[in-house]
Amino acid sequence: MAAAAGAGAAAGAATLAAGWPYLGSAPAIAVVNVLIAGGLTGAGVLMLPAGPLRGCGRPLVGAGLAWLATWAMSWNTGIGPVLGIAGNCVFYVLFCLALLRYPQGRLAGRADRVLVTATAVALGPVMALSVVTSRPEWNGYAADAWWPGWLAHRSVFGALSDGFQVIIPLLAVGFAVLLSRRVRGLRGPERVVAPLVLSMVGGAIVTVAVLTPPIEVDGLDGVMRGIAMQSIVLAVFPVVLVVAAARRALGVVTAADRVLRLTDPATVRSVRDALRTVLRDPTVEIWFRLPDLPGYVDVDGRPADLDLTDLDLTDRDPADLDLAEVGGRGLAAAPRWAREVRTGDGAVLAVVTGDPALGTDNAYTEAALRAGQLALENAQLQAAARARLVEVHAAHRQVAGAQAAQRRRMAADLHDGMQRRLMELVLVAADAQARPADPAGTRTVLRQLHEGLLAANQEVRDLGRGLGPGEAAAGPPRTPGPG
């Protein structure tokens, strides 16, 4: 915070010095521009260590420095005018890039990249062409200012000036459309703050584009009035930053209270649903660590293939954590935000995972998790009970499977052994019945029947020994009820 305040103050003072020939006699405009340069630079520095937001912080810092360079044109001598034009162009490219990256820290897709490229081309090579095809006085500056007008041609410069009056508003409208699309796609805690920031600044950019005067002006007063008008509209950004910071702080304060209210009574699912509601992320999952069981279980007590024992999540940036590297049943293949929740004595209680957008506001998410710690401890007991029921259910299924296999083996033994032997005895008896006057044959038949019955009796004994007491006593498996 101190570094951000210092950087903002330095940028504001440098802006005042850079534009002193004009700002020295316009105190209200001076204050506005000090706020713009200081607010942009300070906000950018504040975002640099904030995970994904560092992708927005770097261009914001650059935009703040470019804005103070813009005011170098007010000196109207030497390289000042060219430096001011370059600073103004770089400012809008970096400012638009930072906003299109907010809050995920990256451009959302091809449309964003196309718009940024088109803006860079219009305010880069095309603007440079307007400089080399003109003279300083055609742009409103002193004739003795340094100016690379090597290809000065009044009609070409006039055409470029007229073209900018069409191109810049079109780019601004495209920028506003992409920002509105980004607002609709916001996830996580930033849904509370980001819509305000993006919508108001997007409207400011469109207004600036519409009010921007042509680059072909008669004198320095026209140039300075144009920059002053831009600064007045852009002053909305520091105001929005203050409001957004206040709303974010309020969200941190109220997050804990909302979690506590939503987890009364505290159940496994109520804790998860409360975190989903407060964190504004329907993909939040809780993976409980049970002290007397290996690994993690989900809210239904089912084992999860989640091994985080080698990771220190408390020291890792959530944007850099990829749980796909370590596996996880039910986890998406994309990188996931993750946080360990620990008990008061430091033991791992659970791992909470969610959308990577949750990493953009650690203060908010940490407040919610701290408030949910006690509820998570209560829910852990329920998760343990559910895990036990899952184990019992699995054991019952195993017993039922063993019983079914034993019955199949007994059926096969009866069919292949006992039934075949009894059928042989039937055939022997039928053969003896067909020869009633043969005493010797009758004795042979009786001996065969005797031996066959003894063998059948032995097979029945063997089957009885194969069906143990546990098998005989085991009843049908019971399905555990809901926890």
Side-chain angles (χ1 to χ4, degrees):
M1 183 66 73
T15 302
L16 186 61
W20 185 254
Y22 182 86
L23 298 179
S25 58
I29 300 297
V31 170
V32 168
N33 283 273
V34 166
L35 289 176
I36 291 174
L40 288 170
T41 306
V45 171
L46 202 60
M47 291 179 181
L48 291 180
L53 286 177
R54 71 170 65 96
C56 312
R58 296 189 188 103
L60 271 186
V61 171
L65 299 178
W67 186 254
L68 74 87
T70 298
W71 282 97
M73 66 177 64
S74 67
W75 292 89
N76 199 21
T77 186
I79 199 175
V82 174
L83 180 61
I85 291 173
N88 194 246
C89 293
V90 171
F91 166 79
Y92 283 107
V93 173
L94 293 179
F95 188 56
C96 292
L97 177 63
L99 290 177
L100 286 177
R101 284 181 172 181
Y102 182 78
Q104 287 83 8
R106 63 184 183 277
L107 298 178
R110 179 179 299 177
D112 286 13
R113 291 189 289 272
V114 169
L115 181 63
V116 170
T117 302
T119 304
V121 170
L123 297 178
V126 177
M127 180 60 78
L129 182 62
S130 74
V131 171
V132 300
T133 58
S134 68
R135 299 191 186 281
E137 59 269 24
W138 301 350
N139 292 267
Y141 303 110
D144 59 350
W146 182 86
W147 198 267
W150 306 302
L151 304 176
H153 195 287
R154 191 66 187 242
S155 61
V156 173
F157 175 66
L160 289 172
S161 179
D162 293 339
F164 269 104
Q165 294 301 107
V166 177
I167 293 173
I168 298 304
L170 288 178
L171 290 174
V173 170
F175 176 76
V177 170
L178 291 182
L179 283 186
S180 65
R181 188 182 69 176
R182 173 148 294 206
V183 167
R184 293 195 300 271
L186 286 172
R187 307 184 305 275
E190 284 299 322
R191 290 177 62 185
V192 178
V193 177
L196 173 69
V197 175
L198 296 179
S199 58
M200 293 189 68
V201 176
I205 291 293
V206 173
T207 305
V208 167
V210 172
L211 297 178
T212 298
I215 57 178
E216 184 178 12
V217 294
D218 294 331
L220 184 63
D221 287 343
V223 177
M224 292 295 98
R225 281 196 302 271
I227 300 298
M229 289 173 58
Q230 294 179 30
S231 64
I232 292 172
V233 178
L234 290 175
V236 70
F237 185 75
V239 175
V240 170
L241 281 180
V242 172
V243 175
R247 292 190 65 178
R248 186 176 284 109
L250 181 62
V252 171
V253 172
T254 59
D257 180 65
R258 295 181 64 199
V259 170
L260 292 175
R261 284 190 289 105
L262 292 172
T263 54
D264 184 19
T267 65
V268 175
R269 293 188 179 276
S270 73
V271 174
R272 184 194 63 184
D273 293 343
L275 290 177
R276 286 181 174 182
T277 300
V278 174
L279 297 178
R280 296 175 178 265
D281 178 12
T283 70
V284 165
E285 292 292 348
I286 302 175
W287 313 89
F288 289 95
R289 179 76 181 203
L290 304 182
D292 55 344
L293 290 177
Y296 294 79
V297 299
D298 63 13
V299 294
D300 295 316
R302 295 173 297 186
D305 182 17
L306 184 67
D307 184 9
L308 302 179
T309 56
D310 295 331
L311 298 178
D312 186 2
L313 303 186
T314 57
D315 294 332
R316 291 193 60 177
D317 190 325
D320 300 331
L321 178 63
D322 186 354
L323 292 186
E325 298 173 356
V326 293
R329 185 191 57 76
L331 296 181
R336 301 275 289 167
W337 171 87
R339 272 290 183 269
E340 277 186 348
V341 181
R342 295 177 178 267
T343 61
D345 57 3
V348 177
L349 177 62
V351 172
V352 180
T353 64
D355 193 283
L358 295 178
T360 60
D361 194 343
N362 289 331
Y364 187 90
T365 53
E366 293 297 338
L369 293 180
R370 282 196 302 271
Q373 179 180 337
L374 180 60
L376 281 171
E377 291 181 4
N378 295 331
Q380 184 190 42
L381 301 176
Q382 299 178 35
R386 292 191 178 203
R388 293 301 184 193
L389 288 176
V390 169
E391 285 186 338
V392 170
H393 188 57
H396 284 168
R397 286 199 304 268
Q398 186 176 4
V399 169
Q403 288 178 334
Q406 180 67 13
R407 286 193 292 268
R408 288 193 295 270
R409 286 195 301 270
M410 291 178 62
D413 291 341
L414 287 172
H415 181 271
D416 297 337
M418 179 77 68
Q419 187 176 0
R420 178 176 55 79
R421 187 174 298 281
L422 292 176
M423 184 56 67
E424 290 175 354
L425 295 177
V426 169
L427 294 175
V428 169
D431 183 61
Q433 188 178 8
R435 295 180 298 172
D438 184 3
T442 299
R443 287 193 297 273
T444 301
V445 168
L446 291 174
R447 185 177 66 254
Q448 292 176 346
L449 288 173
H450 180 262
E451 293 173 352
L453 289 172
L454 288 175
N457 181 62
Q458 184 62 39
E459 290 185 9
V460 170
R461 289 176 178 273
D462 292 341
L463 287 174
R465 283 195 296 270
L467 183 63
E471 293 280 352
R478 296 175 60 191
T479 301

